[in-house]
Amino acid sequence: MIRIGKIAISQETLKRFIRRCGILPLIALAVPFAGGPSRADTSTEDPLLMAGIPSQSMLDTITVLAERISGPSLAPGANTEYTATAQTIADLPAGTNTALTGVLAQMPGVAIDQNQQIHIRNTEGPQFQYQINGVLVPLDINTNPPFLSMINPLFVKQLDLQVGVLPARYSYAAGGVVDIQTKDGCETQGRDVGLFVGQRDTVQPSAEVSGCSGGFGYYVSALYGQSNTAFSSATPGPTPVHDSTQSGQAFGFFSYALDSTTRLSLLLSAASSNNQLPTVPGLAPQYVLAGAGALASAAINSSLNFRDALAMFALCGTPADGWTYTLAYSAHTISENFQPDDAGELIYQGVASTASHTDVDNTVEGDLAFQNGAHSVGTGFYLGEYRVAADDTSWVFPVDPNTQLAGDTPFGISNNAHAINVVSGVYVNDLWTMNDRLRANIGLRRDALTGFTNNHQIDPTMNVGFGVTGDTTVHAGFARYMQVPSFQGISPTAAAAFAGTTAAGPTGIATPLTEDDYEWDLGAIHHFSKRLTLSVDNYYERTRRYLDTGQ
């Protein structure tokens, strides 16, 4: 028996929020395992959920128990969805101390590279979005390692991975959506203290406290972590060289029911980490630094530090039967600071950069949905301002244009970039339930970007799900997406600034355009029994202006 949903009562009607599991990519067999996926009843009358909009606006919560049926199934919009509950995470070897990458890596279609970057359906870099309690997280949080500590499994109630042809609500980083529901003090009250200890000097104490009083609920957690595995090891042995990390993270979710149909919520999260960069012993020097003595490569002492803070404020409710809305504001700031070992970096890399990158984001979004007979119609908007500043001072060697030999006396270069990037979009989405076996999700959105680069485009989406039998479902769809480049990864003046030096590189595209993706998706699911499910899921994607992060 499992808790599979959230229920809100509107007059005499129970509106169910049921989390479904996704389709295993390509061909897979699903059998029960602790905390694994489940197939739930696909019937629902909730217009917000059926229109492809998250269900944060439902206020009253009760527990629903149902028989567990293992195997993948379709989300309401007929796209793939795969679920991990708090119990799923607790059943992992490291439990709630598992990194978010470790949780996502259990899901089909997800790969983790040597830099701990998450790739969904073979996307280049983390081209996917996070949303927490139904609110989209600012885009630039997706492209930076601090998010792995910013959102940790300790406070996750349920995590759903959505891939394939997504509803029109999603764009900008549409390789997938990691949808997180956090723990709520009005659902579970109590206190907990934990200590996780492991190999390679791993120590991670944590604490949680939650409660509920009247219409006010709160959940707060905090953790501290240290180990000597800040990044993937640069050597083949099990213990990295010069790779220690110290990090801390705090999270709070607060909600207040203004009345039986309206709720306010506030989410606060902050993370900090100081990290050594791993070294490789025994490397041969690549350059000569005047006045410097011998320096072993294992002795290079460079570090990369992060600071991250997020606040999300949301108002949601059900003003009338069949109508739901969410209005949210998010603020996010992140800073990355690279402190080089000047001599070591120059001797072995030819460049030593003291780099400081900051990003301050402000976003507003709104969603409205209503039920009209067989149609669940949703509409909404997104507006985000991303203020990016990059201040870099580098020491480099000059390179003789004739001999291509580097000098031995470095000189300094300053390369700074500042921009205000504005991302905006509006959409309309209709989930048309034609009968008990056939439904179609159709949407259209317009997206625009200004700042480092400029573009706008119209993006259609359509997905059809058909129940061939009670145990067999097929789905097919098409969508166009506008992928937004990482604003922190853009430096329009870098190629010109470092020309003729040991830091010169390929010119590339100084201000990359948005990526234009066309995706077709086709799949089928057959449930042989409660213990065995076969899923076949295929997709084809055609891309224009491919965003290559160069990793």
Side-chain angles (χ1 to χ4, degrees):
M1 306 294 283
I2 59 170
R3 180 166 59 190
I4 61 170
K6 206 176 192 180
I7 288 185
I9 299 177
S10 174
Q11 297 178 354
E12 301 292 329
T13 304
L14 292 179
K15 300 181 178 181
R16 292 191 179 180
F17 292 82
I18 300 179
R19 296 287 179 182
R20 300 167 183 78
C21 299
I23 306 169
L24 297 174
L26 302 180
I27 299 178
L29 292 174
V31 294
F33 65 95
S38 62
R39 183 181 69 173
D41 177 20
T42 57
S43 62
T44 178
E45 297 181 358
D46 185 337
L48 192 63
L49 182 61
M50 295 182 72
I53 301 173
S55 57
Q56 185 196 22
S57 59
M58 295 298 97
L59 305 175
D60 302 323
T61 301
I62 68 173
T63 298
V64 183
L65 297 180
E67 183 177 358
R68 181 194 190 93
I69 304 177
S70 292
S73 61
L74 297 180
N79 62 284
T80 301
E81 187 174 74
Y82 198 82
T83 299
T85 64
Q87 187 60 51
T88 308
I89 297 171
D91 289 339
L92 293 173
T96 56
N97 297 285
T98 306
L100 186 63
T101 48
V103 176
L104 289 172
Q106 308 299 314
M107 298 186 172
V110 179
I112 311 298
D113 66 21
Q114 71 275 14
N115 297 316
Q116 296 301 298
Q117 291 274 3
I118 302 167
H119 300 262
I120 298 176
R121 282 195 167 188
N122 203 34
T123 54
E124 170 61 30
Q127 294 177 349
F128 59 94
Q129 291 179 276
Y130 291 91
Q131 68 177 18
I132 306 176
N133 296 332
V135 179
L136 292 172
V137 176
L139 294 173
D140 260 11
I141 202 169
N142 304 342
T143 58
N144 297 283
F147 194 79
L148 304 181
S149 59
M150 187 79 157
I151 303 299
N152 66 75
L154 185 66
F155 54 76
V156 172
K157 173 187 173 185
Q158 182 161 309
L159 185 151
D160 297 307
L161 173 63
Q162 298 189 41
V163 294
V165 175
L166 302 172
R169 183 175 187 265
Y170 303 108
S171 189
Y172 312 131
V177 175
V178 178
D179 182 9
I180 297 172
Q181 294 290 322
T182 67
K183 296 176 181 177
D184 190 320
C186 286
E187 297 177 359
T188 304
Q189 298 89 43
R191 301 176 182 178
D192 186 60
V193 176
L195 177 63
F196 180 72
V197 179
Q199 293 178 311
R200 287 174 276 283
D201 300 329
T202 299
V203 178
Q204 183 171 297
S206 62
E208 301 174 84
V209 60
S210 59
C212 186
S213 177
F216 176 73
Y218 63 91
Y219 171 85
V220 178
S221 66
L223 64 82
Y224 167 81
Q226 67 177 44
S227 72
N228 63 3
T229 54
F231 301 98
S232 296
S233 176
T235 56
T239 302
V241 179
H242 192 268
D243 198 19
S244 68
T245 179
Q246 293 180 321
S247 62
Q249 192 274 336
F251 173 87
F253 179 69
F254 311 90
S255 64
Y256 181 71
L258 299 177
D259 54 43
S260 61
T261 62
T262 311
R263 184 177 71 167
L264 288 171
S265 65
L266 175 65
L267 181 149
L268 300 173
S269 185
S272 175
S273 64
N274 298 326
N275 313 284
Q276 293 179 335
L277 289 184
T279 59
V280 179
L283 294 180
Q286 300 298 305
Y287 301 93
V288 176
L289 176 61
L295 177 64
S297 59
I300 298 174
N301 184 23
S302 299
S303 62
L304 181 62
N305 304 324
F306 299 99
R307 303 291 183 267
D308 209 349
L310 173 68
M312 304 172 70
F313 179 80
L315 172 67
C316 51
T318 56
D321 189 32
W323 290 78
T324 52
Y325 71 88
T326 298
L327 183 64
Y329 164 75
S330 299
H332 168 242
T333 178
I334 183 173
S335 66
E336 304 178 16
N337 292 278
F338 177 68
Q339 297 294 329
D341 181 321
D342 288 339
E345 297 289 346
L346 282 167
I347 292 173
Y348 289 94
Q349 301 287 340
V351 57
S353 299
T354 300
S356 175
H357 293 187
T358 60
D359 187 1
V360 178
D361 312 327
N362 292 277
T363 68
V364 179
E365 60 187 272
D367 299 291
L368 175 68
F370 64 93
Q371 181 78 37
N372 183 16
H375 295 270
S376 299
V377 181
T379 185
F381 70 92
Y382 179 91
L383 180 63
E385 178 193 66
Y386 295 84
R387 294 176 176 263
V388 180
D391 299 305
D392 301 340
T393 301
S394 302
W395 289 98
V396 296
F397 294 114
V399 174
D400 187 290
N402 298 316
T403 64
Q404 295 300 306
L405 296 177
D408 62 2
T409 303
F411 67 97
I413 293 177
S414 293
N415 179 52
N416 303 325
H418 303 80
I420 298 176
N421 303 279
V422 178
V423 180
S424 60
V426 294
Y427 76 91
V428 61
N429 196 93
D430 178 22
L431 179 60
W432 180 16
T433 305
M434 304 174 202
N435 53 51
D436 293 340
R437 300 172 63 184
L438 181 63
R439 66 182 187 268
N441 189 76
I442 305 170
L444 187 69
R445 66 177 295 128
R446 184 186 187 278
D447 295 311
L449 169 65
T450 61
F452 274 134
T453 187
N454 299 272
N455 190 39
H456 62 84
Q457 68 181 49
I458 302 296
D459 299 325
T461 180
M462 181 176 181
N463 226 5
V464 178
F466 178 66
V468 181
T469 67
D471 295 320
T472 305
T473 303
V474 296
H475 66 97
F478 164 79
R480 183 189 186 191
Y481 301 117
M482 186 182 86
Q483 302 269 18
V484 175
S486 170
F487 302 126
Q488 288 192 328
I490 298 177
S491 181
T493 60
F498 293 102
T501 74
T502 48
T507 56
I509 301 175
T511 54
L513 300 175
T514 58
E515 181 175 303
D516 188 7
D517 294 331
Y518 298 80
E519 182 174 335
W520 290 262
D521 187 89
L522 174 66
I525 306 169
H526 180 70
H527 298 275
F528 291 98
S529 67
K530 296 178 182 180
R531 300 178 58 85
L532 180 63
T533 296
L534 173 67
S535 172
V536 180
D537 199 8
N538 303 278
Y539 69 97
Y540 171 78
E541 184 175 292
R542 183 167 65 88
T543 298
R544 298 173 58 239
R545 304 186 297 270
Y546 182 61
L547 292 172
D548 187 346
T549 59
Q551 295 180 342

